[in-house]
mmCIF file of all heavy atoms in Angstrom:
data_model
loop_
_atom_site.group_PDB
_atom_site.id
_atom_site.type_symbol
_atom_site.label_atom_id
_atom_site.label_comp_id
_atom_site.label_asym_id
_atom_site.label_seq_id
_atom_site.Cartn_x
_atom_site.Cartn_y
_atom_site.Cartn_z
ATOM 1 N N LEU A 315 10.679 -24.180 3.847
ATOM 2 C CA LEU A 315 10.749 -25.452 4.555
ATOM 3 C C LEU A 315 11.799 -25.349 5.652
ATOM 4 O O LEU A 315 12.981 -25.118 5.376
ATOM 5 C CB LEU A 315 11.100 -26.584 3.592
ATOM 6 C CG LEU A 315 11.340 -27.962 4.205
ATOM 7 C CD1 LEU A 315 10.057 -28.484 4.839
ATOM 8 C CD2 LEU A 315 11.853 -28.932 3.150
ATOM 9 N N ALA A 316 11.370 -25.522 6.910
ATOM 10 C CA ALA A 316 12.293 -25.496 8.047
ATOM 11 C C ALA A 316 12.841 -26.906 8.238
ATOM 12 O O ALA A 316 12.145 -27.786 8.743
ATOM 13 C CB ALA A 316 11.577 -25.015 9.305
ATOM 14 N N ASP A 317 14.074 -27.131 7.813
ATOM 15 C CA ASP A 317 14.681 -28.453 7.929
ATOM 16 C C ASP A 317 14.753 -28.866 9.395
ATOM 17 O O ASP A 317 15.306 -28.147 10.231
ATOM 18 C CB ASP A 317 16.092 -28.449 7.331
ATOM 19 C CG ASP A 317 16.058 -28.325 5.814
ATOM 20 O OD1 ASP A 317 15.055 -28.752 5.215
ATOM 21 O OD2 ASP A 317 17.029 -27.796 5.230
ATOM 22 N N GLY A 318 14.170 -30.028 9.683
ATOM 23 C CA GLY A 318 14.168 -30.514 11.055
ATOM 24 C C GLY A 318 13.320 -29.675 11.993
ATOM 25 O O GLY A 318 13.539 -29.697 13.211
ATOM 26 N N ASP A 319 12.345 -28.938 11.460
ATOM 27 C CA ASP A 319 11.496 -28.039 12.252
ATOM 28 C C ASP A 319 12.316 -27.003 13.012
ATOM 29 O O ASP A 319 11.911 -26.516 14.073
ATOM 30 C CB ASP A 319 10.627 -28.828 13.237
ATOM 31 C CG ASP A 319 9.522 -29.604 12.542
ATOM 32 O OD1 ASP A 319 9.343 -29.412 11.330
ATOM 33 O OD2 ASP A 319 8.839 -30.405 13.207
ATOM 34 N N ASP A 320 13.474 -26.640 12.454
ATOM 35 C CA ASP A 320 14.355 -25.677 13.096
ATOM 36 C C ASP A 320 14.011 -24.273 12.616
ATOM 37 O O ASP A 320 14.233 -23.932 11.443
ATOM 38 C CB ASP A 320 15.814 -26.016 12.785
ATOM 39 C CG ASP A 320 16.794 -25.103 13.509
ATOM 40 O OD1 ASP A 320 16.339 -24.279 14.323
ATOM 41 O OD2 ASP A 320 18.011 -25.220 13.263
ATOM 42 N N ALA A 321 13.488 -23.457 13.533
ATOM 43 C CA ALA A 321 13.103 -22.093 13.166
ATOM 44 C C ALA A 321 14.308 -21.203 12.930
ATOM 45 O O ALA A 321 14.162 -20.089 12.404
ATOM 46 C CB ALA A 321 12.219 -21.486 14.253
ATOM 47 N N ASN A 322 15.509 -21.654 13.317
ATOM 48 C CA ASN A 322 16.723 -20.875 13.106
ATOM 49 C C ASN A 322 17.573 -21.423 11.961
ATOM 50 O O ASN A 322 18.770 -21.117 11.877
ATOM 51 C CB ASN A 322 17.548 -20.839 14.395
ATOM 52 C CG ASN A 322 16.835 -20.108 15.518
ATOM 53 O OD1 ASN A 322 16.231 -19.064 15.296
ATOM 54 N ND2 ASN A 322 16.880 -20.661 16.718
ATOM 55 N N ASP A 323 16.976 -22.229 11.106
ATOM 56 C CA ASP A 323 17.660 -22.708 9.921
ATOM 57 C C ASP A 323 18.113 -21.497 9.089
ATOM 58 O O ASP A 323 17.411 -20.475 9.040
ATOM 59 C CB ASP A 323 16.705 -23.592 9.113
ATOM 60 C CG ASP A 323 17.325 -24.111 7.838
ATOM 61 O OD1 ASP A 323 18.061 -25.086 7.899
ATOM 62 O OD2 ASP A 323 17.064 -23.503 6.771
ATOM 63 N N PRO A 324 19.287 -21.551 8.445
ATOM 64 C CA PRO A 324 19.775 -20.380 7.701
ATOM 65 C C PRO A 324 18.805 -19.851 6.662
ATOM 66 O O PRO A 324 18.662 -18.632 6.502
ATOM 67 C CB PRO A 324 21.066 -20.890 7.055
ATOM 68 C CG PRO A 324 21.527 -21.988 7.942
ATOM 69 C CD PRO A 324 20.286 -22.634 8.476
ATOM 70 N N VAL A 325 18.125 -20.753 5.945
ATOM 71 C CA VAL A 325 17.170 -20.294 4.932
ATOM 72 C C VAL A 325 15.983 -19.598 5.595
ATOM 73 O O VAL A 325 15.528 -18.533 5.146
ATOM 74 C CB VAL A 325 16.708 -21.468 4.063
ATOM 75 C CG1 VAL A 325 15.660 -21.012 3.049
ATOM 76 C CG2 VAL A 325 17.888 -22.099 3.344
ATOM 77 N N VAL A 326 15.472 -20.186 6.680
ATOM 78 C CA VAL A 326 14.341 -19.588 7.397
ATOM 79 C C VAL A 326 14.733 -18.230 7.954
ATOM 80 O O VAL A 326 13.984 -17.249 7.843
ATOM 81 C CB VAL A 326 13.868 -20.527 8.525
ATOM 82 C CG1 VAL A 326 12.739 -19.876 9.321
ATOM 83 C CG2 VAL A 326 13.402 -21.859 7.962
ATOM 84 N N ASP A 327 15.907 -18.150 8.546
ATOM 85 C CA ASP A 327 16.354 -16.900 9.149
ATOM 86 C C ASP A 327 16.570 -15.820 8.095
ATOM 87 O O ASP A 327 16.187 -14.658 8.279
ATOM 88 C CB ASP A 327 17.655 -17.154 9.920
ATOM 89 C CG ASP A 327 17.987 -16.016 10.873
ATOM 90 O OD1 ASP A 327 17.079 -15.551 11.576
ATOM 91 O OD2 ASP A 327 19.151 -15.592 10.894
ATOM 92 N N THR A 328 17.156 -16.187 6.958
ATOM 93 C CA THR A 328 17.374 -15.220 5.882
ATOM 94 C C THR A 328 16.051 -14.731 5.303
ATOM 95 O O THR A 328 15.860 -13.528 5.070
ATOM 96 C CB THR A 328 18.220 -15.852 4.766
ATOM 97 O OG1 THR A 328 19.482 -16.272 5.299
ATOM 98 C CG2 THR A 328 18.454 -14.869 3.633
ATOM 99 N N ALA A 329 15.122 -15.661 5.087
ATOM 100 C CA ALA A 329 13.823 -15.281 4.530
ATOM 101 C C ALA A 329 13.047 -14.397 5.492
ATOM 102 O O ALA A 329 12.429 -13.400 5.090
ATOM 103 C CB ALA A 329 13.021 -16.534 4.195
ATOM 104 N N ARG A 330 13.061 -14.743 6.773
ATOM 105 C CA ARG A 330 12.322 -13.952 7.760
ATOM 106 C C ARG A 330 12.842 -12.520 7.836
ATOM 107 O O ARG A 330 12.080 -11.573 8.063
ATOM 108 C CB ARG A 330 12.420 -14.642 9.124
ATOM 109 C CG ARG A 330 11.560 -14.013 10.214
ATOM 110 C CD ARG A 330 11.464 -14.910 11.435
ATOM 111 N NE ARG A 330 12.796 -15.388 11.820
ATOM 112 C CZ ARG A 330 13.067 -16.650 12.131
ATOM 113 N NH1 ARG A 330 12.111 -17.560 12.084
ATOM 114 N NH2 ARG A 330 14.291 -17.003 12.482
ATOM 115 N N ALA A 331 14.143 -12.345 7.624
ATOM 116 C CA ALA A 331 14.728 -11.001 7.714
ATOM 117 C C ALA A 331 14.363 -10.128 6.526
ATOM 118 O O ALA A 331 14.292 -8.905 6.659
ATOM 119 C CB ALA A 331 16.249 -11.118 7.831
ATOM 120 N N ILE A 332 14.140 -10.718 5.349
ATOM 121 C CA ILE A 332 13.912 -9.929 4.140
ATOM 122 C C ILE A 332 12.432 -9.801 3.792
ATOM 123 O O ILE A 332 12.037 -8.875 3.082
ATOM 124 C CB ILE A 332 14.687 -10.547 2.946
ATOM 125 C CG1 ILE A 332 14.740 -9.578 1.760
ATOM 126 C CG2 ILE A 332 14.071 -11.861 2.527
ATOM 127 C CD1 ILE A 332 15.529 -8.329 2.003
ATOM 128 N N LEU A 333 11.585 -10.694 4.317
ATOM 129 C CA LEU A 333 10.165 -10.674 3.988
ATOM 130 C C LEU A 333 9.423 -9.624 4.799
ATOM 131 O O LEU A 333 9.900 -9.147 5.830
ATOM 132 C CB LEU A 333 9.554 -12.053 4.230
ATOM 133 C CG LEU A 333 10.013 -13.169 3.287
ATOM 134 C CD1 LEU A 333 9.560 -14.529 3.799
ATOM 135 C CD2 LEU A 333 9.479 -12.934 1.881
ATOM 136 N N ASP A 334 8.203 -9.284 4.318
ATOM 137 C CA ASP A 334 7.365 -8.294 4.993
ATOM 138 C C ASP A 334 6.398 -8.933 5.978
ATOM 139 O O ASP A 334 5.447 -8.287 6.419
ATOM 140 C CB ASP A 334 6.557 -7.493 3.960
ATOM 141 C CG ASP A 334 7.450 -6.778 2.968
ATOM 142 O OD1 ASP A 334 8.516 -6.298 3.383
ATOM 143 O OD2 ASP A 334 7.095 -6.726 1.779
ATOM 144 N N GLY A 335 6.614 -10.169 6.317
ATOM 145 C CA GLY A 335 5.744 -10.875 7.241
ATOM 146 C C GLY A 335 5.898 -12.372 7.045
ATOM 147 O O GLY A 335 6.458 -12.828 6.046
ATOM 148 N N HIS A 336 5.431 -13.144 8.013
ATOM 149 C CA HIS A 336 5.556 -14.586 7.904
ATOM 150 C C HIS A 336 4.401 -15.266 8.631
ATOM 151 O O HIS A 336 3.905 -14.774 9.652
ATOM 152 C CB HIS A 336 6.903 -15.067 8.469
ATOM 153 C CG HIS A 336 7.181 -14.580 9.861
ATOM 154 N ND1 HIS A 336 7.832 -13.392 10.112
ATOM 155 C CD2 HIS A 336 6.891 -15.115 11.075
ATOM 156 C CE1 HIS A 336 7.932 -13.214 11.414
ATOM 157 N NE2 HIS A 336 7.370 -14.245 12.026
ATOM 158 N N ILE A 337 3.995 -16.396 8.069
ATOM 159 C CA ILE A 337 2.980 -17.257 8.663
ATOM 160 C C ILE A 337 3.675 -18.542 9.089
ATOM 161 O O ILE A 337 4.270 -19.228 8.252
ATOM 162 C CB ILE A 337 1.842 -17.562 7.673
ATOM 163 C CG1 ILE A 337 1.186 -16.268 7.183
ATOM 164 C CG2 ILE A 337 0.811 -18.487 8.303
ATOM 165 C CD1 ILE A 337 0.528 -15.454 8.263
ATOM 166 N N VAL A 338 3.615 -18.863 10.377
ATOM 167 C CA VAL A 338 4.270 -20.050 10.910
ATOM 168 C C VAL A 338 3.214 -21.135 11.116
ATOM 169 O O VAL A 338 2.186 -20.891 11.768
ATOM 170 C CB VAL A 338 4.989 -19.744 12.234
ATOM 171 C CG1 VAL A 338 5.632 -21.006 12.799
ATOM 172 C CG2 VAL A 338 6.030 -18.656 12.028
ATOM 173 N N LEU A 339 3.449 -22.301 10.566
ATOM 174 C CA LEU A 339 2.546 -23.434 10.741
ATOM 175 C C LEU A 339 3.082 -24.336 11.838
ATOM 176 O O LEU A 339 4.285 -24.603 11.920
ATOM 177 C CB LEU A 339 2.401 -24.217 9.434
ATOM 178 C CG LEU A 339 1.893 -23.427 8.221
ATOM 179 C CD1 LEU A 339 1.657 -24.367 7.041
ATOM 180 C CD2 LEU A 339 0.620 -22.672 8.550
ATOM 181 N N SER A 340 2.183 -24.826 12.679
ATOM 182 C CA SER A 340 2.548 -25.615 13.840
ATOM 183 C C SER A 340 2.257 -27.093 13.599
ATOM 184 O O SER A 340 1.129 -27.459 13.222
ATOM 185 C CB SER A 340 1.782 -25.124 15.073
ATOM 186 O OG SER A 340 1.876 -26.032 16.136
ATOM 187 N N ARG A 341 3.250 -27.941 13.850
ATOM 188 C CA ARG A 341 3.042 -29.382 13.714
ATOM 189 C C ARG A 341 2.061 -29.890 14.765
ATOM 190 O O ARG A 341 1.270 -30.803 14.515
ATOM 191 C CB ARG A 341 4.380 -30.115 13.823
ATOM 192 C CG ARG A 341 4.288 -31.600 13.501
ATOM 193 C CD ARG A 341 5.651 -32.251 13.526
ATOM 194 N NE ARG A 341 6.533 -31.682 12.517
ATOM 195 C CZ ARG A 341 6.542 -32.051 11.228
ATOM 196 N NH1 ARG A 341 5.686 -32.994 10.812
ATOM 197 N NH2 ARG A 341 7.380 -31.504 10.377
#
Side-chain angles (χ1 to χ4, degrees):
L315 174 65
D317 289 333
D319 289 352
D320 184 5
N322 295 318
D323 179 81
V325 177
V326 177
D327 195 45
T328 301
R330 187 167 48 226
I332 193 66
L333 292 168
D334 301 323
H336 52 270
I337 302 298
V338 178
L339 302 186
S340 167
R341 188 176 298 277

